[in-house]
Amino acid sequence: MTAGTAEHEGAAGDGPGPDRSGGDALRERRREQHGWYLYDFACSVYSTSVVTVFLGPYLTSVAKAAADAEGYVHPLGVPIRAGSVFPYAISASIVLAVVLMPLAGAWADRTGRKKPLLAVAAYTGAAATCAMFLLDGDRYLLGAALLIVANASLAVSMVLYNAYLPQIAAPEERDTVSSRGWAFGYASGALMLVLNLVLYAGHERFGLSESEAVRICLASAGLWWGAFTVVPLRRLRDRGTPREGHGAQPGGWRQLVATLKDMRRHPLTLSFLLAYLVYNDGIQTVISQASVYGSEELGLGQTTLIVAVLLVQVLAVAGALWLGRLARTHGAKRIVLGSLAAWTAILAGGYFLPAGEPAWFFALAAGIGLVLGGSQALSRSLFSHLVPRGKEAEYFAAYEMSDRGLSWLGPLVFGLAYQLTGSYRDAILSLVAFFALGFVLLARVPVRRAVAAAGNPVPDRI
């Protein structure tokens, strides 16, 4: 997201402009905001049902069906453990996204047309997810390829989606609008997960095998993603004129380097991005490793873990709205700092959780849910104020890189801590460093001065 309202809607990346009557402009802005929420509602089911719950275990089982006696598969003649196919595919999708996200952001800013590229990215990802229905037998390469395409497509679409925020929301309402978008996403993830679990748990009553039930759950996420994407594509509108020189399109890494060089003219924006990179890496690692901690260290069953994921999704809706409301009176930066302190307390509590006690794990999941959506939503709205006008998509490509493309440091620290100590408790405690350092780095950013330095109006509370 980015910042600022301009004098005319015709300027690239402008916020809502005063060129129409107040009532008509307000209705149009609300219509676009409602459409914007619906993209989060559309795509979040992929992250929840596909990546978090179903695809990892299922793709691993498919790879094991194709493995040799030693448990290896051999794509292109390279021996790979069957259990490594899923994480390797995730890593490959991040590499592809790293190349595509800056390129997409540059193209959108230079042409002034985000919506066509959003449509391409969204429907490419939705189609790849639907095609996961074909993932049976020993087709692990097909599954890995579809995962790479879907994951990278989601990352590209989020660059473009986030870049709409400063265009559809005035500076003083961005915290609320961003929080509602996250809430819509978590609500849809919870709803789809409930429907999927009903089908999966009762697959025999529906006359389905377990494999068929999982493949239907995977494909249904793609159908949901594609169907609800229609609404934002109808309601969001491109405004702005193309920037000069839009014919030259540098490669993804070159464009990212160019964007980071441009950020050197806005060092306070870069300082915020660094803080976000650090603490968000901690957040993403907690999300990805919590189920491992629950199963391996606490000895909890799959049903308990799935219910915990559902609890996180439900409470994240309330948490995003609650923290968004608090930001209106206390400022987004202060609330994000408070959420980082809460994350630290949650990790400390997780260290002392007794094994074999689901109730305590559910309490941990509840705490995560309450701070998860709000800390992410308010970080997004904060960054939206720090972006120079006309460079929304490019800067949000760098932001999305921090969110998705560079979220490997936390898992690496987690893995090294476990390797050195043999304890998942010590590994989970090692993540405190990300939240503590992120807190310090964010606290040092003079946000009001950063907004002014980016050339944007400074809200009364931020």
Side-chain angles (χ1 to χ4, degrees), residues 46 51 89-90 93-94 97 146-156 404:
Y46 169 82
V51 176
I90 292 288
S93 72
I94 291 174
L146 292 174
L147 171 59
I148 291 169
V149 171
N151 238 28
S153 297
L154 177 66
V156 170
R404 300 173 188 272

Side-chain angles (χ1 to χ4, degrees), residues 248-315:
Q249 300 296 322
W253 275 103
R254 288 170 53 204
Q255 180 56 55
L256 176 63
V257 170
T259 301
L260 292 177
K261 284 183 177 179
D262 185 74
M263 280 187 178
R264 291 167 59 185
R265 299 190 300 112
H266 304 282
L268 298 180
T269 299
L270 197 56
S271 297
F272 174 86
L273 195 61
L274 176 62
Y276 175 74
L277 185 154
V278 172
Y279 69 75
N280 182 66
D281 209 351
I283 292 173
Q284 297 304 320
T285 307
V286 172
I287 293 170
S288 65
Q289 302 302 321
S291 61
V292 175
Y293 182 69
S295 61
E296 298 297 326
E297 185 69 33
L298 304 181
L300 303 176
Q302 184 66 28
T303 300
T304 298
L305 298 177
I306 292 176
V307 172
V309 171
L310 182 58
L311 181 62
V312 169
Q313 294 294 122
V314 172
L315 290 180

Side-chain angles (χ1 to χ4, degrees), residues 77-127:
V78 179
I80 294 175
R81 286 192 182 275
S84 297
V85 170
F86 178 71
Y88 284 170
I90 292 288
S91 297
S93 72
I94 291 174
V95 172
L96 180 59
V98 162
V99 173
L100 294 178
M101 286 190 293
L103 188 60
W107 187 90
D109 282 338
R110 285 176 173 154
T111 63
R113 301 179 69 220
K114 290 186 286 291
K115 191 158 67 171
L117 198 54
L118 174 62
V120 170
Y123 282 108
T124 299

Side-chain angles (χ1 to χ4, degrees), residues 67-68 95 102 130 200 259:
D68 60 21
V95 172
C130 288
Y200 178 74
T259 301

Side-chain angles (χ1 to χ4, degrees), residues 15 23 27 135 165 176 182-183 221 265-266 291 300 337 352 356 394 435 461:
R27 281 191 294 272
L135 181 56
L165 179 59
T176 299
W182 277 103
R265 299 190 300 112
H266 304 282
S291 61
L300 303 176
L337 289 172
F352 293 104
E394 283 185 41
F435 295 101
R461 289 197 179 275

Side-chain angles (χ1 to χ4, degrees), residues 45 48-49 53-54 187-198 306-307 309-311 313:
V45 297
T48 304
S49 288
V53 177
F54 288 109
S188 74
L191 177 58
M192 175 59 83
L193 189 55
V194 168
L195 297 175
N196 287 164
L197 288 178
V198 169
I306 292 176
V307 172
V309 171
L310 182 58
L311 181 62
Q313 294 294 122

